Amino acid sequence: MWLRVMILVLAGLTASAWATAQQLKLIEGAPEVYTVKKGDTLWDISAHFLSNPWLWPELWQVNDYIKNPHLIYPGDQLHLIWVDGQPRLSLKKRVHLSPQARVIRAPITTLQSSLMMPYLAQDKLMTPQHLERLPRVLGESNARDFMTQGDTVWVDSELETGDEWWIYRPDMVFERDLEDGESREVKVMTMKEIARGTVAGTEDKMSALTLTTLGYEVRQNDVLLPAPLPSEQLNLSFSPSEPPADLNAKILGHFSGINFIATHETVVIDHGHLDGVAAGHVFQLFRAGVDVVGRKGDYEYQKLGSQKNFTLHQIPVGEIVVIRPYEHFSIAVITKSSEPVAPGTLALPPKTNG
């Protein structure tokens, strides 16, 4: 869907009357033609045209000038034209071939692949119920507590010889309350990658795994997941969009538990696909305003134990884009922040007035 997203971006170059009707905030001096460069992401390119990525879907219109509205590549030229008084995008592809070389081009991604790959390549959030069904490390035949690269560890499941598995350790725990007829609490755990290994063989309902790559020493009860697909086989085709207006989420925290989270860091939010969250949804971040107590002429900021009278306006501090939703939780990347973001920060649908 990359080209489709770019149409949304470039349609923002239309006349001011069109922009006003769509309530868009356009970048002054946006180019008439843009040539996609190696290393570009849709997020980068949008900065040349449109400041509110969640409004792109409002500008999308199917037209005959786009033969394949799914992908754009480095070297492609994006031209804004007018048809019957309406903006359209004309795409001119540039592919340079020679008898000695074959040019293979990769489509650009929405965000930098380095931000998405660690969290799209394999499951990084896990429910306790799912965790119970996964293979676990039994140990090492010499009763070593800490196993390192080159060691053979035993696993409590029969695995296919030659397959690669990655080893994880449950780390942070995030919780939320559900109100679906009866109140109940759901939990999810982050999975910290420890090592990688290859199955050397099976015996008596166990498997021998040779540790090939080590990040941390492996311990008994560490968890195994199949090696993820190569990056070129992953589906990264999600488009930034506006979430439903009634979705009011909050940031639960960072994967490593840090309390002050910066731009390009990943966070866990307390809403998932069962709440209507989808990959590509953009949320604006707000720090809660302070509470004020007291009577007229004697106002002061709330102190511990005092009853609040007023809550001041929320303070905008940035935005996030969801890259992987689970049932009740989602992983998102902070794409913009004016200050370090803390757990508890509100994640709200963006205001449509740009």
Side-chain angles (χ1 to χ4, degrees), residues 132-294:
E132 291 176 0
R133 300 192 293 267
L134 295 177
R136 296 269 188 161
V137 173
L138 291 168
E140 193 265 347
S141 294
N142 293 313
R144 296 174 59 184
D145 292 328
F146 301 99
M147 291 149 267
T148 62
Q149 188 169 350
D151 288 347
T152 296
V153 301
W154 288 93
V155 181
D156 64 358
S157 301
E158 292 186 353
L159 309 176
E160 190 71 26
T161 300
D163 283 356
E164 184 184 11
W165 288 72
W166 289 14
I167 301 174
Y168 294 85
R169 187 169 299 148
D171 193 13
M172 298 289 298
V173 177
F174 295 114
E175 303 175 352
R176 63 170 286 197
D177 292 322
L178 297 180
E179 295 289 344
D180 53 357
E182 61 179 87
S183 297
R184 61 189 179 97
E185 186 179 69
V186 292
K187 297 181 180 180
V188 73
M189 287 172 282
T190 63
M191 304 295 289
K192 181 178 182 179
E193 183 189 337
I194 302 299
R196 304 176 186 181
T198 302
V199 180
T202 60
E203 180 181 330
D204 297 330
K205 298 182 179 180
M206 301 181 298
S207 295
L209 188 80
T210 302
L211 301 180
T212 57
T213 304
L214 198 73
Y216 301 88
E217 292 179 319
V218 176
R219 304 174 189 170
Q220 286 179 299
N221 299 301
D222 283 341
V223 179
L224 277 74
L225 285 170
L229 292 172
S231 59
E232 61 271 13
Q233 297 182 28
L234 291 175
N235 180 13
L236 305 179
S237 57
F238 61 84
S239 303
S241 59
E242 186 177 2
D246 60 348
L247 286 184
N248 295 327
K250 69 177 178 181
I251 290 179
L252 295 176
H254 184 271
F255 271 77
S256 66
I258 59 177
N259 289 323
F260 299 100
I261 314 165
T263 301
H264 294 164
E265 295 280 356
T266 53
V267 294
V268 177
I269 65 172
D270 67 346
H271 279 55
H273 69 77
L274 293 183
D275 304 294
V277 175
H281 276 169
V282 177
F283 289 84
Q284 288 183 313
L285 300 179
F286 293 89
R287 176 162 48 87
V290 297
D291 295 324
V292 174
V293 300

Side-chain angles (χ1 to χ4, degrees), residues 323-334:
I323 60 173
R324 185 160 191 169
Y326 293 78
E327 286 188 347
H328 302 294
F329 304 85
S330 296
I331 300 171
V333 171
I334 298 177

